[in-house]
Amino acid sequence: MSESPESAHPRRAGTFSRRDALRYATALTAAGLGTAAAGLSAPTAAAAAPTLIDFAARQIPAADIRAAGHSGVINYVSTSRPGSNFGAKPITLPYAQSLHAAGLIVVSNFQYGKPGGTAPSDFTRGYAGGVADARTAWQLHTAAGGAKNAPVFFSVDDDINRDTWNNLALPWFRGINSVLGVQRTGVYGGYDTCRWAAESGVIGNSQVPGYRWAWQTRSWSNGQRFPAAVLYQHTIDTASTPGPLVGGIRVDVNDVMAQDCGQWNKHL
């Protein structure tokens, strides 16, 4: 997640195979990836996946996102933590409308707390916290025009072990499921977190067979790739390794790994 320069995610090199590239050879526009992705309709073996950016500092104009070659955004349906004032949290209806008007897609993500922040990591808040977070996320998602059947990706922005998953994160996701249902619940996290979420049955399915609502970050993944992830965060903005500038803001960059990655305009 791209919130502040003090975020410290390890980076590992990633590759995009010939097989992966060829998966994007057809139906990108029909899949709702917009005109920004239409130019990728005939990739070669060396071609890259369509990309989405995530950021928090402020709203980046749609024209700047298009000019940078990205297909859309993953934007927050959560508010800023105490003591912070992120201009892109939460996404607003006018901003979402400007993105759609430019042919860009929008995917929803929830993150309020973080390790070492002024609010604790969301996944530590248990079942009741999951209920509250899901209600907040859905209110902000729908207020911004988010599709009624689109998922929200809930962040586990930390390197957790299996005990932490079982005892803290899983009850939180069960609370989220009780409000949104499994099919509208997604996860952001490292390889193990994505795998455990899928195995525990707390995240839904993409319309593309074999894919789940998992947004994997390269952080804490030790070079492993979760094959069912619809999104893969390969570039993370940190103080030591800044992300690319888009509209004057440093951003994270994510590969779209399935034609249905949870974008609003595919889940009306």
Side-chain angles (χ1 to χ4, degrees):
M1 307 303 300
S2 184
E3 287 193 336
S4 60
E6 60 270 16
S7 298
H9 297 278
R11 294 168 173 253
R12 292 183 181 272
T15 61
F16 193 70
S17 70
R18 177 183 176 86
R19 179 185 177 188
D20 289 333
L22 293 176
R23 291 165 60 195
Y24 297 94
T26 58
L28 283 176
T29 303
L33 286 173
T35 55
L40 297 175
S41 59
T44 66
T51 53
L52 307 182
I53 57 174
D54 66 274
F55 50 91
R58 64 172 173 80
Q59 295 174 345
I60 300 174
D64 292 335
I65 298 171
R66 285 289 309 274
H70 302 292
S71 298
V73 306
I74 306 165
N75 218 148
Y76 290 97
V77 288
S78 51
T79 57
S80 297
R81 293 181 294 279
S84 61
N85 184 23
F86 295 114
K89 296 181 73 171
I91 189 171
T92 62
L93 179 60
Y95 184 54
Q97 290 173 331
S98 74
L99 295 169
H100 287 135
L104 300 171
I105 68 169
V106 179
V107 174
S108 289
N109 167 248
F110 180 92
Q111 182 177 1
Y112 179 68
K114 67 175 295 183
T118 55
S121 296
D122 303 323
F123 69 85
T124 65
R125 296 178 356 98
Y127 185 95
V131 170
D133 290 342
R135 289 173 176 166
T136 297
W138 199 247
Q139 188 277 321
L140 295 172
H141 170 90
T142 54
K148 65 180 180 180
N149 293 314
V152 176
F153 291 82
F154 289 82
S155 299
V156 179
D157 197 16
D158 203 351
D159 186 12
I160 66 172
N161 59 28
R162 189 60 187 257
D163 284 344
T164 301
W165 170 260
N166 289 336
N167 296 320
L168 290 178
L170 182 55
W172 181 62
F173 273 99
R174 299 286 190 209
I176 293 166
N177 290 165
S178 75
V179 176
L180 299 184
V182 171
Q183 184 53 28
R184 292 188 297 185
T185 303
V187 64
Y188 165 91
Y191 169 82
D192 283 334
T193 295
C194 291
R195 178 170 60 90
W196 295 330
E199 291 173 352
S200 301
V202 294
I203 57 173
N205 298 310
S206 167
Q207 294 178 19
V208 180
Y211 287 88
R212 308 294 295 274
W213 297 141
W215 171 16
Q216 183 189 354
T217 175
R218 70 194 299 179
S219 301
W220 320 303
S221 291
N222 298 313
Q224 296 178 285
R225 294 288 292 266
F226 182 59
V230 293
L231 294 163
Y232 181 71
Q233 186 181 60
H234 62 79
T235 299
I236 303 110
D237 176 48
T238 68
S240 59
T241 52
L245 279 170
V246 179
I249 297 295
R250 297 285 180 186
V251 302
D252 299 338
V253 184
N254 308 269
D255 287 334
V256 177
M257 304 309 300
Q259 292 174 354
D260 174 19
C261 62
Q263 61 265 47
W264 292 2
N265 58 340
K266 197 170 177 63
H267 295 274
L268 301 175

